[in-house]
Amino acid sequence: MTERSAAEEQKWDLIIGEQGKFFSLNLRDIWRFRDLLVMFVKRDIVTVYKQTILGPIWFVIQPIFTSLTYMIIFTRMAKIGTDEISPILFYLAGVTMWNYFSETLNVTSKTFIENASIFGKVYFPRVIIPLSKIISGLIKYLIQFALFLIVLAYNFIVKGNVHPNAAVLLLPVLLLLMAFMSFGIGLIITSMTTKYRDLTFLITFGISLFMYLTPVIYPASKFANYRYILNLNPLTSIFETFKYGFLGKGEFNIMWLGYTALFTLVVTVYGMAVFNKIEKKFIDTV
Amino acid sequence: MSSSIAIKVENLSKMYRLGQVGTGTLSHDLKRWWALTRGKEDPYLKIGQVNKRSEKGDSQYTWALKDISFQVNQGDVLGIVGSNGAGKSTLLKLLSRVTSPTEGRVKVKGRIASLLEVGTGFHPEMTGRENIYMNGAILGMSRHEIKRKFDDIVEFAGIAKYTETPVKRYSSGMYVRLAFAVAAHLESEILIVDEVLAVGDMEFQKKCLSKMNDISHNDGRTVLFVSHNLPSVQALCNRAISLEFGQKRMEGDTADVIADYLKKNKGGDAVKWNGRSEAEVAGKLAYFSDISLHSQFDNNIQMGDDIVLNIGVTLTDDIQGVMLRIMLHDSNEQLITSLFSLDFGTDLKLKKGYNSTRITVKKPNLLPGDYKISLSVLYNYGSQVYDTINDCITFTMLVADVTGTGVPFLSDRGKMWFDTEFVNLNA
């Protein structure tokens, strides 16, 4: 009997209550639920504009209106320059990128609280939810990016005042960095909100404030004297490299981009570790 | 040993913090962290108490489950019974990995799918088809699997016409049927089911029960079933465990466990109907103040036992000839009987003010099922009705071996039974 049970011991498919490692990606589980990941992405995209007449066109109307608003407020009224780039193009570049970052951060940082009811009823790797958010956010971004490209082509052909260069090839890297930065920070915040709800109030406020510390609506060159401080914000190099590549203005500095990459790696790894620890018990405290 | 172990639960314990979670957690966290960094034990884990809700404890932490160990063999249908707060839901949550145990572990062989709720992840804006895929994926099915079973699911739910309609346009019955249909077609080796069957109409409930029977008996899959509904536990499960205050009380054959469980719970006015507001009784010459059913636990009565009702009747004036009536309906609103106190020659002699009365229906010949009680206080067989409360008490008649043959009435035999003699006159 004991021999038999010893043999059995090897064959368990799952052991609940094991102390997990500090950091485990649990890729096998995520792979098993890959169809669910696809379903969540689809749901995010499809359900947003169901029962609307314009449907997915809303994805592009929104950044156009935001850019126009910024144009009126910051260019016309506040007279903040845009580095001699057509203001609508300049803002469109910033706004679409910023939207991707802030929306992803906003939803991933609410992972536990918003999904408490479903997490309380069924098991699947919790990280599927924030992963689906960065993917559906990316799809939305790419739709908006197409709009940006159209405006860019117009400026390039008709006005000739933009100078795209080889740095555009870095776009996938920039998007990846931005996606995982918001993912990592989001995971850390959502893990903390399961116990300390106060953070939920701060996060929305914090994100909108943070936009002004990032060269979204102004060129970084405007603050040449404080460049170091501005560069400490890991988003700065992403936005500047993007503008450098597509518009020919801005700054491309491999060192600061490396700093951003390191920062992203650290928050992602730390975020995953905290998230893995919290996900096992959060339902008791949320 | 033909069957192997599917689930092995070892010293499973779960601690919860009482009271308002969120206040003072920072200070507790700091204390715990301080103790752990000095290599000491978690200061809050030591003060474990047995989870007796009615007794006020001095600890802020409580064990919802303490040292539970049991095994489930492959192909077993295990029923988990226990009164409210015994730890059934906590156990299910741990088994379905919604939360983690404080101590102990569970070893599992095979895929687990849990149904703590039907329709998890349904999105009202999405169509029936999209939701089948969504819900299936959440429960752990692959796209391919769902595709293969799609037609079966639609047929089982009976919604063929509505697969392309958003589920927010569904009737609530259709919604529930669709949700259960997806769950019923799960292919996991182990299925954990909470009281989700308490939804839908009678016909659909029967369909669900027979589907569950299929799953376990024909496919040889393991099912863990938690329910308050003892008749369905009796009908479905071959083994059962009972929980009490977070600890295991008994494990064994379903019949033994339920019998033991009922014995322990004997007595007590469990089910109550608690009067109405003063406005509602204003102007009534006589009305019911309170009604309670004396039962073994919750609202269950075992076959062969009496139905005992304790009733408070208030008269606002001195009236002669006030009588009580009890009516019994089955769950389909069919009247089974209507009995007046005067039928039995009883003059209750109710006085002005509060009267405490009791109605005992002696060994009713009811078969297992759900029944409803309606009460009236009236004058002279109903020439004047002072007060009527419809369906004030609902109870479930549980199966018992009333004929003493060892084979209780199980399947559908109607509503009543009569002590009947079958004789071969040639013999």
Side-chain angles (χ1 to χ4, degrees):
Chain A
M1 184 66 204
T2 44
E3 277 169 48
R4 200 182 140 273
S5 56
E8 286 274 322
E9 214 68 29
Q10 311 301 318
K11 286 190 288 169
W12 301 113
D13 293 322
L14 168 74
I15 299 182
I16 301 169
E18 286 255 281
Q19 284 298 315
K21 278 170 271 171
F22 172 69
F23 177 76
S24 77
L25 281 173
N26 211 359
L27 286 177
R28 214 183 77 187
D29 240 15
I30 296 174
W31 179 246
R32 221 193 93 198
F33 281 90
R34 64 192 180 278
D35 289 328
L36 182 62
L37 181 63
V38 176
M39 288 305 300
F40 275 133
V41 172
K42 213 172 131 190
R43 187 182 72 173
D44 281 350
I45 303 277
V46 172
T47 56
V48 175
Y49 296 115
K50 276 221 174 177
Q51 258 192 36
T52 61
I53 296 168
L54 294 177
I57 296 172
W58 280 110
F59 285 126
V60 294
I61 293 178
Q62 195 199 347
I64 292 177
F65 279 143
T66 317
S67 299
L68 287 175
T69 318
Y70 286 168
M71 212 168 98
I72 293 164
I73 297 173
F74 298 111
T75 312
R76 294 283 149 77
M77 289 160 79
K79 306 262 185 244
I80 298 172
T82 54
D83 255 357
E84 288 133 41
I85 295 160
S86 148
I88 187 79
L89 186 62
F90 182 86
Y91 290 129
L92 214 47
V95 164
T96 51
M97 294 257 282
W98 177 256
N99 274 353
Y100 179 35
F101 177 79
S102 64
E103 276 173 24
T104 312
L105 177 56
N106 203 8
V107 287
T108 49
S109 68
K110 288 178 185 150
T111 303
F112 283 131
I113 287 177
E114 302 249 295
N115 295 289
S117 65
I118 179 169
F119 285 173
K121 294 298 178 194
V122 67
Y123 172 82
F124 54 86
R126 305 317 192 199
V127 79
I128 293 264
I129 294 268
L131 274 181
S132 74
K133 298 294 180 196
I134 61 176
I135 296 171
S136 58
L138 187 66
I139 293 169
K140 283 180 208 165
Y141 173 77
L142 290 178
I143 295 171
Q144 298 176 352
F145 180 68
L147 168 75
F148 168 77
L149 283 185
I150 294 168
V151 181
L152 180 73
Y154 171 79
N155 274 272
F156 183 66
I157 296 161
V158 180
K159 294 186 179 167
N161 60 351
V162 286
H163 313 284
N165 51 56
V168 296
L169 295 176
L170 282 171
L171 181 68
V173 178
L174 299 180
L175 290 179
L176 213 64
L177 285 177
M178 215 159 58
F180 278 95
M181 199 190 299
S182 55
F183 175 75
I185 299 174
L187 292 190
I188 297 171
I189 294 172
T190 193
S191 304
M192 290 164 88
T193 49
T194 58
K195 258 193 179 172
Y196 312 110
R197 274 305 163 90
D198 318 49
L199 273 170
T200 45
F201 299 105
L202 287 174
I203 184 69
T204 332
F205 179 65
I207 291 176
S208 47
L209 203 67
F210 195 59
M211 187 179 91
Y212 296 99
L213 298 176
T214 310
V216 177
I217 47 142
Y218 55 84
S221 58
K222 193 98 186 159
F223 299 97
N225 301 338
Y226 307 100
R227 261 325 270 279
Y228 263 93
I229 299 171
L230 200 57
N231 271 336
L232 280 179
N233 173 358
L235 281 175
T236 301
S237 64
I238 296 179
F239 279 77
E240 284 300 295
T241 309
F242 183 89
K243 284 174 186 163
Y244 174 81
F246 284 91
L247 307 176
K249 289 284 162 73
E251 187 199 46
F252 172 54
N253 183 327
I254 196 77
M255 210 189 76
W256 282 115
L257 207 57
Y259 159 75
T260 302
L262 186 70
F263 180 86
T264 305
L265 186 71
V266 170
V267 290
T268 306
V269 170
Y270 182 68
M272 285 290 285
V274 181
F275 189 84
N276 280 345
K277 190 171 180 299
I278 297 291
E279 72 163 10
K280 297 201 176 86
K281 294 208 174 154
F282 94 98
I283 208 75
D284 306 340
T285 48
V286 78
Chain B
M1 288 288 272
S2 58
S3 54
S4 58
I5 299 163
I7 302 176
K8 193 173 180 184
V9 177
E10 295 171 347
N11 305 319
L12 200 66
S13 302
K14 177 74 185 174
M15 187 185 66
Y16 278 117
R17 185 165 189 269
L18 296 177
Q20 191 96 10
V21 175
T23 49
T25 48
L26 191 57
S27 69
H28 281 204
D29 282 352
L30 288 174
K31 269 188 213 167
R32 183 175 283 147
W33 174 80
W34 178 233
L36 290 173
T37 45
R38 284 177 306 161
K40 292 200 173 165
E41 233 184 288
D42 190 331
Y44 296 104
L45 271 181
K46 280 191 289 190
I47 336 165
Q49 294 179 311
V50 169
N51 184 21
K52 284 194 185 179
R53 281 180 306 164
S54 42
E55 289 167 24
K56 205 164 155 41
D58 51 2
S59 168
Q60 264 198 300
Y61 291 84
T62 188
W63 292 103
L65 277 185
K66 186 78 179 135
D67 283 331
I68 305 271
S69 301
F70 63 91
Q71 285 182 4
V72 188
N73 287 333
Q74 210 177 322
D76 265 356
V77 183
L78 180 82
I80 301 170
V81 295
S83 37
N84 285 322
K88 300 187 302 289
S89 304
T90 308
L91 182 59
L92 281 202
K93 277 186 181 169
L94 293 176
L95 290 174
S96 48
R97 290 211 277 169
V98 162
T99 183
S100 297
T102 313
E103 284 169 5
R105 55 174 61 178
V106 183
K107 294 170 179 169
V108 182
K109 217 169 109 184
R111 262 205 312 174
I112 284 194
S114 59
L115 273 181
L116 303 193
E117 175 189 72
V118 289
T120 311
F122 264 37
H123 195 292
E125 296 286 351
M126 297 205 299
T127 65
R129 175 187 299 276
E130 287 168 329
N131 270 313
I132 290 177
Y133 279 98
M134 183 79 217
N135 189 229
I138 284 184
L139 293 171
M141 285 197 258
S142 72
R143 202 182 158 70
H144 177 74
E145 237 177 286
I146 305 167
K147 210 173 210 161
R148 195 155 40 82
K149 300 211 159 176
F150 188 84
D151 292 335
D152 289 347
I153 294 174
V154 171
E155 196 201 341
F156 186 86
I159 54 140
K161 227 166 122 186
Y162 301 95
T163 46
E164 305 305 330
T165 309
V167 293
K168 67 175 175 183
R169 307 247 179 272
Y170 281 27
S171 74
S172 50
M174 278 160 66
Y175 188 94
V176 169
R177 285 207 303 275
L178 178 63
F180 188 86
V182 180
H185 289 81
L186 277 172
E187 271 193 337
S188 62
E189 291 84 12
I190 302 166
L191 191 64
I192 299 178
V193 187
D194 201 355
E195 289 177 285
V196 284
L197 294 174
V199 292
D201 50 30
M202 284 294 278
E203 198 188 331
F204 189 68
Q205 281 194 25
K206 263 193 192 136
K207 207 167 159 186
C208 297
L209 281 172
S210 73
K211 181 79 194 172
M212 295 235 335
N213 237 332
D214 263 17
I215 288 174
S216 54
H217 293 133
N218 302 342
D219 306 356
R221 283 191 271 161
T222 314
V223 181
L224 265 67
F225 181 55
V226 169
S227 182
H228 268 300
N229 190 351
L230 293 186
S232 38
V233 172
Q234 274 172 325
L236 279 172
C237 307
N238 61 334
R239 285 169 54 75
I241 65 170
S242 58
L243 299 177
E244 188 182 35
F245 308 127
Q247 284 165 320
K248 187 172 80 178
R249 178 180 162 87
M250 193 181 165
E251 178 181 2
D253 286 340
T254 311
D256 297 344
V257 172
I258 289 182
D260 163 78
Y261 180 61
L262 290 177
K263 202 162 59 201
K264 171 228 138 192
N265 280 289
K266 210 145 199 135
D269 286 345
V271 182
K272 283 197 171 156
W273 176 88
N274 272 330
R276 288 161 300 188
S277 65
E278 273 183 37
E280 280 174 292
V281 295
K284 288 191 172 177
L285 286 173
Y287 59 87
F288 291 107
S289 303
D290 60 86
I291 301 165
S292 61
L293 175 72
H294 183 90
S295 68
Q296 289 152 338
F297 93 107
D298 284 354
N299 57 342
N300 294 277
I301 292 173
Q302 206 164 12
M303 283 173 76
D305 286 352
D306 298 342
I307 301 173
V308 184
L309 292 161
N310 289 313
I311 301 159
V313 188
T314 305
L315 269 58
T316 50
D317 205 349
D318 270 317
I319 327 162
Q320 298 294 308
V322 176
M323 55 181 78
L324 294 179
R325 178 182 65 186
I326 176 170
M327 298 208 315
L328 220 59
H329 288 87
D330 70 7
S331 49
N332 297 326
E333 307 296 334
Q334 290 291 322
L335 177 67
I336 289 169
T337 184
S338 170
L339 305 166
F340 291 84
S341 51
L342 204 62
D343 289 342
F344 302 89
T346 312
D347 180 7
L348 285 163
K349 296 195 176 93
L350 298 177
K351 298 247 159 56
K352 184 179 176 181
Y354 182 84
N355 298 271
S356 178
T357 65
R358 171 176 295 164
I359 298 179
T360 307
V361 182
K362 289 174 189 161
K363 300 196 193 325
N365 290 336
L366 292 172
L367 283 168
D370 292 334
Y371 298 92
K372 298 180 212 171
I373 295 171
S374 302
L375 292 170
S376 301
V377 49
L378 23 74
Y379 178 73
N380 188 26
Y381 284 109
S383 67
Q384 195 180 351
V385 179
Y386 299 121
D387 193 11
T388 293
I389 300 165
N390 288 321
D391 306 339
C392 54
I393 303 268
T394 346
F395 67 91
T396 303
M397 193 55 97
L398 294 176
V399 84
D401 184 15
V402 277
T403 50
T405 55
V407 190
F409 297 104
L410 264 185
S411 51
D412 203 1
R413 305 282 189 92
K415 297 294 167 199
M416 303 186 74
W417 70 282
F418 305 98
D419 200 356
T420 307
E421 200 178 35
F422 289 78
V423 182
N424 179 353
L425 295 173
N426 280 347

